[in-house]
Amino acid sequence: MSENGHKTIELPPSITVRDLAQSINASPIEIIKALMANGVMANINQLIDFDTAAVVASEMGYEAALETQDLAKTEDIGEIPLWRQLIAGEDPGSLTARPPVVTILGHVDHGKTTLLDAIRNTNVVDDEAGGITQHIGAYQTEHNGRTITFLDTPGHAAFTAMRARGAQGADIVILVVAADDGVMPQTREAVAHAKAAKVPIVVAMNKIDKSNADQDRVKQQLAEIGLVPDEWDGDTLVVPMSAKKRVGLEDLMEAILLVADNMDIRANPKGQVIGTVIEAEIDRAKGVLATLLVQNGTLEVGDVVVVGNSHGKLRAMFDYRGRRVRKAGPPPRFRSWV
Ligand SMILES: Nc1nc2c(ncn2[C@@H]2O[C@H](COP(=O)(O)OP(=O)(O)OP(=O)(O)O)[C@@H](O)[C@H]2O)c(=O)[nH]1
Ligand SMILES: [Mg+2]
């Protein structure tokens, strides 16, 4: 029982109207009515997100909390993402090298976005940083003539699903750990996601400029969660840095490219199309917007895409700079609506 007398209930990040009705002892019709009153038209089989479900639940006397993710389970699911399995089955002769996709993960406020901003400002390919780019948090940058695609992710506890998707789409994960704060719950969660997706981790030990930064303590904590620093004869590259003061950025880029060189990052632009949905939203005017990462094949306007149990026709596509494109191959990321 919560303070306001509401019964508490745990709900998953998304739930169908039918399942929500069942969990809060209401009829599906009552739920559909409550959704309509809040401006959401949904049928009984429709998936609604946690925030929407929580509003409806609250109107029915329940206080909803996001289901706590069992990290042990996340690791169990650990199978190689579908796109990588598909590429493994391609004829090796048809594969061409593609730039690495690097996902930035870490605990809230450890400096992920500051790091990405610092990288963009020193290495940025794009010359017209626009609102969309900021919004979707994905950028392509160049270092020593080589392109790298970066994905930013939120560190707040509520965004587990987004972090998992970010890790699933990645070739390499940069784990940002603040040197003053050390390994925290979402640091551990990020490691679990990267391991589940079988993605190598490079640690950016950030905020070394702070007076209370304790680099040895962080290295010790990293070793305890299975990331033994290379200088301790382990195989995890740990790069001390300060995103704010722009110290260590060059070393971090070198570390990423070093790891990338030891991997076989390739795709077949003419092969079967597969990709990862990074995020999606519904826009009143444009319809369903999805941010996609194409990992194999080439997607074209007019193609029909299938995502989970939804599908739709691509009406338009935009690259990471918001420019309209007709085709998208691996890996430039683009924004589309269907
Ligand atoms: N002193 C110092 N502060 C930093 C450094 N990097 C980031 N910060 C500060 O830490 C705070 C959080 O930085 P963000 O980049 O927003 O952190 P984040 O990891 O993106 O946070 P979420 O997206 O909310 O998870 C900001 O006030 C930054 O200015 C650093 O190297 N040194
Ligand atoms: Mg951020």
Side-chain angles (χ1 to χ4, degrees):
M1 206 53 94
S2 68
E3 280 168 19
N4 55 10
H6 280 191
K7 283 170 262 178
T8 48
I9 183 174
E10 282 202 348
L11 295 176
S14 61
I15 187 168
T16 62
V17 168
R18 179 185 280 114
D19 291 345
L20 175 63
Q22 213 162 36
S23 357
I24 60 175
N25 296 316
S27 76
I29 299 294
E30 284 175 281
I31 305 284
I32 290 169
K33 277 191 188 156
L35 284 167
M36 271 170 73
N38 284 288
V40 178
M41 305 294 282
N43 64 44
I44 186 162
N45 294 315
Q46 201 150 326
L47 274 176
I48 53 175
D49 64 15
F50 170 80
D51 292 342
T52 311
V55 170
V56 173
S58 153
E59 288 173 8
M60 314 236 164
Y62 285 82
E63 184 164 308
L66 191 64
E67 211 170 71
T68 36
Q69 300 268 337
D70 186 344
L71 286 184
K73 248 198 252 162
T74 318
E75 262 176 305
D76 285 348
I77 309 168
E79 55 179 48
I80 299 174
L82 194 60
W83 63 273
R84 249 189 268 152
Q85 294 177 33
L86 190 138
I87 292 172
E90 290 272 9
D91 166 19
S94 61
L95 295 177
T96 52
R98 62 162 178 81
V101 174
V102 178
T103 296
I104 306 187
L105 291 172
H107 195 74
V108 66
D109 274 355
H110 279 199
K112 298 175 290 296
T113 304
T114 309
L115 167 62
L116 201 45
D117 281 348
I119 293 172
R120 289 179 65 215
N121 289 334
T122 43
N123 301 280
V124 88
V125 173
D126 102 25
D127 42 13
E128 38 157 9
I132 284 183
T133 315
Q134 301 280 343
H135 178 229
I136 60 181
Y139 311 96
Q140 277 194 333
T141 66
E142 226 169 68
H143 184 75
N144 293 344
R146 295 176 60 183
T147 306
I148 306 174
T149 301
F150 284 98
L151 299 185
D152 193 8
T153 63
H156 190 279
F159 300 118
T160 298
M162 220 165 148
R163 283 188 289 275
R165 282 196 297 274
Q168 288 281 318
D171 298 302
I172 299 169
V173 159
I174 296 185
L175 180 67
V176 177
V177 184
D180 57 338
D181 211 16
V183 168
M184 298 298 279
Q186 270 63 54
T187 317
R188 288 192 203 94
E189 190 208 277
V191 172
H193 290 316
K195 285 195 173 157
K198 311 259 188 296
V199 178
I201 296 171
V202 172
V203 175
M205 184 162 56
N206 193 31
K207 305 199 187 186
I208 55 165
D209 59 294
K210 290 190 86 166
S211 58
N212 54 346
D214 187 343
Q215 299 193 32
D216 280 335
R217 177 173 151 261
V218 175
K219 284 181 206 159
Q220 184 64 46
Q221 291 177 330
L222 287 168
E224 282 163 15
I225 58 169
L227 300 175
V228 182
D230 55 324
E231 63 173 286
W232 293 0
D233 288 335
D235 47 21
T236 304
L237 294 174
V238 178
V239 183
M241 57 171 304
S242 164
K244 198 170 176 178
K245 303 257 190 266
R246 304 212 180 160
V247 172
L249 287 174
E250 188 81 6
D251 293 344
L252 183 64
M253 301 300 274
E254 291 297 331
I256 293 166
L257 291 175
L258 192 70
V259 173
D261 286 341
N262 283 317
M263 298 170 70
D264 200 21
I265 305 181
R266 298 197 294 167
N268 177 6
K270 296 199 176 83
Q272 200 178 334
V273 187
I274 191 162
T276 303
V277 176
I278 305 296
E279 51 188 340
E281 65 185 278
I282 296 182
D283 182 281
R284 270 169 199 268
K286 294 170 184 160
V288 178
L289 293 171
T291 302
L292 309 178
L293 193 62
V294 180
Q295 276 132 335
N296 199 59
T298 300
L299 204 56
E300 289 185 43
V301 171
D303 284 351
V304 171
V305 288
V306 179
V307 181
N309 47 18
S310 310
H311 67 275
K313 195 169 174 176
L314 284 179
R315 280 200 243 142
M317 298 197 285
F318 301 87
D319 69 7
Y320 72 105
R321 294 187 232 192
R323 295 178 310 193
R324 204 175 257 267
V325 292
R326 291 206 57 80
K327 290 184 182 187
R333 185 167 177 270
F334 58 87
R335 200 163 170 80
S336 66
W337 59 77
V338 296

